[in-house]
Amino acid sequence: MTDLELHLLNDYQRDFPLVPAPFGVIAGRLGVSEALVLETLAQLQERGAVSRVGAVFRPHSIGASSLAAIAVPAGELEEAARLISSYAEVNHNYEREHHYNLWFVVAATDETRVREVLAEIEHRTGCPVLHLPMIEDYHIDLGFDLVQPHEGRRTGNRRAPSRDMLRHTVATAVPQPSETALIGAVQQGLLLVSRPFAKIGESIGLSESEVIAGLAQLQDQGVIKRIGVVVRHHELGYRANAMVVWDITDDLVSALGHCIGKFDFVTLCYQRPRRLPAWRYNLFCMIHGRDRDEVLSLVAQLEEQCGLHDVPHEVLFSQRRFKQCGARYVVNGQETAYPAQLSAVSGG
């Protein structure tokens, strides 16, 4: 990795310049030409290290989304994965080591459409679907520090939104028509051109300044969590990842969720519902590491630091990544032939 690639991948995962020529601003900061910045990002995207450059939306701030899982017979898994990945509403689709071996995320304009997609998948695969919408968020940030190693607890006083705050956000953040058009235009990333916001504006009938102001407003409202380079962890050396699920008593789940969410090696942590008798776990977190042993050692660190030694849990390592892209909250129809992305990649 060149110094320029490292700076682009590490320093610009957030705080992307909301100015008419953002890549030119980045180029000036790094002492290179705008053309070289654009060329380097295009190469990183072609190599798979970069998913896109653009906005990451906070779950449940617009639309609706849910994690889901099915248990598929081994011989039918790839066909089921292709079917699930064909839905435009599905943005992540992974095989994991568990009886429930196929895990995916559905994001749509509303909860009704999420449930419709899940019902269709259940009908077409013949496999009962675990529907696991998020109840409370303790930490969500899929940014990866490529310079500093894991150091333990995060600094700062980040406070995850409470259930009431999440409900308030969902109830009040109803996009206006112009916002819906803007969300639809940016949800899959910016064009790698000198004036990307002008290009967006041309496609939806807004001026460049209106696009920039609209994105800034969505960011201020918390609808957009961050704008920047969205990286793919596996291609950057994080070759093992696991979803760790815990069975926490209801009176302790929030406190333990906040404890887990403070560790810098935890990229996601949230509460989801149990689905008894099939699924007993209500606290989920994601951990990425260079290999399986590192991930397991980080799980052990959570057990030690958060008092989780005797808490029932499972570690679901990712096996294959069938689809990974940005959530699409504004969808026209269904993607009928979405390619399985990097389906041979182990570790997710």
Side-chain angles (χ1 to χ4, degrees):
M1 187 183 299
T2 67
D3 286 344
L4 176 58
E5 289 174 336
L6 180 59
H7 279 296
L8 291 174
L9 291 170
N10 196 67
D11 301 350
Y12 291 97
Q13 294 183 36
R14 48 180 52 79
D15 301 326
F16 188 77
L18 288 178
V19 297
F23 299 109
V25 170
I26 292 172
R29 293 173 181 171
L30 298 179
V32 298
S33 69
E34 180 187 63
L36 182 57
V37 167
L38 290 168
E39 179 185 356
T40 303
L41 286 170
Q43 291 173 349
L44 289 168
Q45 200 163 16
E46 185 176 343
R47 280 157 40 191
V50 169
S51 170
R52 67 190 185 281
V53 179
V56 176
F57 294 92
R58 184 182 294 278
H60 294 281
S61 63
I62 55 171
S65 63
S66 182
L67 179 67
I70 58 175
V72 189
E76 302 173 14
L77 189 140
E78 291 190 7
E79 180 59 31
R82 279 193 292 270
L83 185 154
I84 290 169
S85 293
S86 73
Y87 283 86
E89 293 88 349
V90 171
N91 58 80
H92 285 65
N93 188 12
Y94 279 73
E95 177 188 4
R96 296 194 178 279
E97 295 177 358
H98 195 266
H99 169 67
Y100 284 100
N101 52 356
L102 198 54
W103 291 80
F104 52 98
V105 176
V106 176
T109 53
D110 53 41
E111 180 65 24
T112 299
R113 180 55 187 159
V114 169
R115 290 182 178 276
E116 287 174 353
V117 171
L118 294 177
E120 289 177 19
I121 288 172
E122 183 167 287
H123 175 72
R124 295 175 69 184
T125 62
C127 300
V129 171
L130 285 181
H131 178 201
L132 301 168
M134 186 173 68
I135 296 173
E136 188 169 7
D137 151 28
Y138 308 113
H139 179 75
I140 296 180
D141 190 345
L142 277 169
F144 290 87
D145 192 330
L146 306 180
V147 177
Q148 296 292 331
H150 295 316
E151 295 181 345
R153 291 181 183 269
R154 294 183 179 87
T155 58
N157 295 314
R158 182 202 182 270
R159 181 177 176 83
S162 67
R163 286 187 183 90
D164 290 340
M165 290 172 65
L166 282 171
R167 291 189 186 116
H168 178 72
T169 301
V170 174
T172 59
V174 179
Q176 299 300 311
S178 61
E179 291 177 322
T180 299
L182 182 56
I183 291 165
V186 303
Q187 61 190 356
Q188 294 301 291
L190 305 178
L191 292 176
L192 297 180
V193 297
S194 180
R195 305 288 288 264
F197 303 123
K199 284 291 186 183
I200 290 170
E202 290 173 10
S203 71
I204 58 176
L206 296 177
S207 68
E208 181 179 61
S209 61
E210 286 173 327
V211 169
I212 292 172
L215 291 174
Q217 183 175 6
L218 289 170
Q219 198 165 23
D220 289 343
Q221 292 171 345
V223 173
I224 291 177
K225 184 172 179 63
R226 62 183 172 96
I227 300 176
V229 177
V230 182
V231 302
R232 285 202 173 106
H233 55 270
H234 184 277
E235 285 75 8
L236 296 176
Y238 290 87
R239 298 189 175 276
N241 81 77
M243 182 175 72
V244 188
V245 293
W246 314 79
D247 180 7
I248 308 292
T249 59
D250 292 342
D251 60 327
L252 294 177
V253 64
S254 183
L256 290 173
H258 284 291
C259 181
I260 292 172
K262 289 178 181 177
F263 285 81
D264 61 3
F265 52 81
V266 173
T267 54
L268 304 171
C269 185
Y270 32 59
Q271 181 187 3
R272 296 186 182 276
R274 296 182 177 89
R275 298 300 189 197
L276 299 173
W279 185 258
R280 66 187 291 190
Y281 303 106
N282 60 341
L283 184 61
F284 293 62
C285 73
M286 285 296 307
I287 297 175
H288 295 73
R290 303 291 175 179
D291 54 40
R292 293 174 69 99
D293 288 343
E294 180 181 14
V295 170
L296 291 173
S297 72
L298 295 173
V299 174
Q301 186 175 337
L302 288 182
E303 291 177 320
E304 177 68 27
Q305 296 294 318
C306 294
L308 294 164
H309 283 298
D310 298 322
V311 176
H313 69 281
E314 294 190 65
V315 181
L316 282 65
F317 277 98
S318 173
Q319 287 292 96
R320 285 185 289 178
R321 180 178 65 202
F322 291 106
K323 187 175 183 180
Q324 180 188 349
C325 63
R328 296 184 63 177
Y329 296 99
V330 180
V331 178
N332 295 319
Q334 184 187 96
E335 291 180 0
T336 56
Y338 198 103
Q341 293 192 14
L342 302 173
S343 60
V345 172
S346 62

